[in-house]
Amino acid sequence: MSAREVVVPAESDGTMEDVESFRLRARSWLADAMPLLPEGMNNHQLSRQDEMGERARYLQRILSGGGFAGLCFPREYGGQGLSRAHQRAFNQESLPYQMPTLFNVPTFSILAATLIEFGTEEQKHRHLPAILRGDELWVQFLSEPSGGSDLAGLVTRATRDGDTFVINGSKIWSSGAFRSDYAMCLARTNSQVPKHRGLTMFIMKIHQPGVEVRQIAMVNGTAEFCQEFFDDVIVPDGDVVGEVDDGWTVASRLLFHERDAVGGGSPYISGVAVAGSGGGAQRSDLVNLAARMGKLGDVRVRQLLAEDRINSRVQNQLVRRISAGIRAGALPPPAGALPRLFAATSTERHLDIALDVAGGSMAVWMDEDSEDANWGEAFLNRQGGSLGGGSSEMARNIISERVLGMPREPAADRDIPFDQVRHN
Ligand SMILES: Cc1cc2nc3c(=O)[nH]c(=O)nc-3n(C[C@H](O)[C@H](O)[C@H](O)COP(=O)(O)OP(=O)(O)OC[C@H]3O[C@@H](n4cnc5c(N)ncnc54)[C@H](O)[C@@H]3O)c2cc1C
């Protein structure tokens, strides 16, 4: 397989195990092997607890031992080589159980997906089976303190030194870096060419001399985001992903996988993406919320619940339609920005409706673990979906320029060597 070949898991092609017999096999294995979710909790709530890294590794090892890890990953790298339909069936069957959802984004759906397409055989055999066994959590080192939207304008430097690179600089907003093992890190290897042409993507071991990871306290009381400082970090040239100075090609595809994951279209996500579920809290929970508030008879609330249900249906159909269109070549890969934008705006609307329904009951008390407080905490994270994976404004830019073919926005640094661009 060439490094640039785009790997797209097919729908079931007739040579694989029949989806319904797979479903029954999965159902019986899950009942024997996986712990049930505690009453009233979903995997999203469970995975927010402190020990989530260790819990996820433990659960992923069980899946791996049972032959249910990496359903859509190629068999030669430890996956099961099955189809999206098998993954959907497994997601539905796994709903009552604890699942290692922490691995889904970015490890499986973004970084492993990118490694499949651009990694060398040695890199793929080194990391993909370890990832699927639950031994490696990965993180993205892309955004920098100077700004994340202009990713190609980053300033972290990688300087060649014999058969290694030496990396200096800083990354920020890296989700879960403190508990992760490896990162894909984009750095500048050439400043004498325009900004997109002098970048290289590296595999970076996080726990090594020169890498300092600091957690950032967030408004909801967690410290999931991190900032990293690189002081002469050594990376062997065998850990370059793709070609030196061609990291933008790798990053563009990584961002495609990120949009796909955030928008709900990734085949590598296991255990959450099922019909009727939205990001974070389950959509059906909104009906329960309205019932608890005694508002199911309120005409306006009923209209809001209907709006939310319609958004959920549209989201699921949009994901399937756009994913199928991209797979068939009828739509360009940047069309992945469409479901990603819809997911962000409909999640905001979902949480606005929750606040409208619950009012002051959603106020958060840090030590409280009631269902209403969970809604309040979700509301504090409301904006995250419009920034993570690139902002909603940038998604609109992508749709207008690269899907609809409208003129590109003006850029003062286009085609100018990076070291001649005026900064700040
Ligand atoms: C939940 C979450 C998880 C994240 N995880 C990671 C991670 O793991 N690794 C990582 O590297 N980063 C991560 N990020 C960072 C994320 O990629 C950045 O927040 C995002 O790219 C925006 O960058 P910024 O915050 O620096 O905002 P800026 O780039 O400074 O932008 C500020 C505002 O200006 C707008 N803007 C900027 N340029 C334009 C333009 N050309 N046209 C129109 N509007 C524009 C933006 O939309 C935004 O509203 C995460 C962010 C969130 C919220």
Side-chain angles (χ1 to χ4, degrees):
M1 184 192 308
S2 84
R4 296 288 163 76
E5 186 174 333
V6 173
V7 179
V8 186
E11 288 298 342
S12 190
D13 63 2
T15 64
M16 298 171 189
E17 179 181 1
D18 167 66
V19 175
E20 282 315 305
S21 73
F22 168 80
R23 179 193 291 279
L24 295 178
R25 184 163 67 83
R27 185 178 297 169
S28 133
W29 179 83
L30 283 162
D32 284 344
M34 292 307 275
L36 282 164
L37 280 165
E39 177 96 29
M41 288 194 96
N42 59 40
N43 272 299
H44 181 71
Q45 291 156 343
L46 197 68
S47 71
R48 269 187 271 170
Q49 293 169 355
D50 287 347
E51 75 287 6
M52 61 201 245
E54 285 317 303
R55 180 200 300 276
R57 289 171 199 263
Y58 165 73
L59 294 172
Q60 185 61 29
R61 280 174 197 136
I62 302 179
L63 286 182
S64 170
F68 288 94
L71 296 185
C72 288
F73 281 86
R75 295 183 71 85
E76 62 265 42
Y77 308 123
Q80 311 303 323
L82 293 170
S83 72
R84 290 170 181 263
H86 293 84
Q87 185 66 66
R88 280 196 294 273
F90 186 78
N91 291 346
Q92 285 157 359
E93 294 301 324
S94 68
L95 263 186
Y97 299 96
Q98 295 185 34
M99 290 291 290
T101 52
L102 187 67
F103 274 88
N104 282 337
V105 183
T107 305
F108 291 159
S109 57
I110 304 177
L111 300 173
T114 304
L115 200 62
I116 290 175
E117 291 178 0
F118 290 93
T120 62
E121 282 305 307
E122 190 278 324
Q123 289 169 348
K124 289 191 272 196
H125 283 289
R126 180 170 14 127
H127 290 292
L128 292 172
I131 285 173
L132 294 176
R133 274 198 311 272
D135 293 343
E136 293 181 9
L137 275 167
W138 283 50
V139 61
Q140 311 179 69
F141 286 170
L142 302 177
S143 306
E144 299 196 352
S146 52
S149 298
D150 182 20
L151 183 59
L154 60 79
V155 294
T156 291
R157 296 184 323 278
T159 311
R160 189 178 267 289
D161 181 15
D163 55 3
T164 66
F165 285 84
V166 181
I167 301 187
N168 284 282
S170 179
K171 297 287 176 177
I172 195 166
W173 313 127
S174 331
S175 310
F178 66 96
R179 70 167 83 80
S180 301
D181 307 285
Y182 288 90
M184 272 201 191
C185 177
L186 191 62
R188 187 162 304 283
T189 33
N190 187 347
S191 296
Q192 292 166 349
V193 291
K195 62 181 181 180
H196 293 90
R197 290 192 230 144
L199 300 169
T200 302
M201 188 70 86
F202 296 93
I203 297 171
M204 182 186 279
K205 194 170 192 287
I206 297 176
H207 303 288
Q208 65 162 310
V211 181
E212 183 189 342
V213 179
R214 284 190 210 157
Q215 288 178 256
I216 300 171
M218 289 164 63
V219 67
N220 66 354
T222 65
E224 185 66 13
F225 282 137
C226 298
Q227 180 168 7
E228 298 76 31
F229 299 88
F230 307 137
D231 183 11
D232 286 343
V233 177
I234 309 284
V235 177
D237 58 8
D239 283 348
V240 168
V241 182
E243 304 295 327
V244 172
D245 289 347
D246 192 29
W248 189 249
T249 303
V250 184
S252 300
R253 197 61 197 163
L254 182 155
L255 294 174
F256 163 78
H257 287 300
E258 180 156 28
R259 285 192 292 272
D260 209 22
V262 176
S266 172
Y268 302 117
I269 286 187
S270 189
V272 275
V274 289
S277 78
Q282 303 276 322
R283 297 255 181 207
S284 57
D285 291 349
L286 212 45
V287 178
N288 296 335
L289 181 69
R292 281 204 310 285
M293 298 297 136
K295 293 189 178 173
L296 279 183
D298 182 321
V299 174
R300 202 180 65 85
V301 167
R302 290 158 73 109
Q303 283 176 353
L304 292 174
L305 297 184
E307 180 191 338
D308 185 67
R309 182 56 58 94
I310 290 165
N311 281 345
S312 171
R313 287 289 169 94
V314 170
Q315 167 77 17
N316 288 323
Q317 294 305 319
L318 198 61
V319 165
R320 286 193 188 198
R321 184 165 176 194
I322 303 284
S323 302
I326 293 173
R327 279 205 304 281
L331 287 169
L338 288 159
R340 180 254 169 276
L341 177 62
F342 191 85
T345 51
S346 75
T347 299
E348 283 175 13
R349 186 70 189 127
H350 179 62
L351 291 164
D352 288 347
I353 291 173
L355 183 66
D356 201 331
V357 171
S361 310
M362 242 167 80
V364 175
W365 183 254
M366 294 304 296
D367 297 326
E368 197 180 339
D369 198 21
S370 71
E371 284 184 50
D372 299 341
N374 286 333
W375 277 106
E377 195 190 334
F379 189 81
L380 291 178
N381 278 324
R382 172 186 181 280
Q383 220 57 38
S386 296
L387 282 167
S391 69
S392 289
E393 289 77 19
M394 298 310 284
R396 290 190 176 96
N397 285 351
I398 290 168
I399 293 164
S400 62
E401 294 176 13
R402 294 163 61 194
V403 180
L404 301 177
M406 293 163 75
R408 291 176 67 181
E409 67 173 337
D413 56 2
R414 187 164 296 142
D415 298 329
I416 298 177
F418 189 72
D419 58 6
Q420 291 172 31
V421 173
R422 293 181 65 185
H423 296 284
N424 298 320

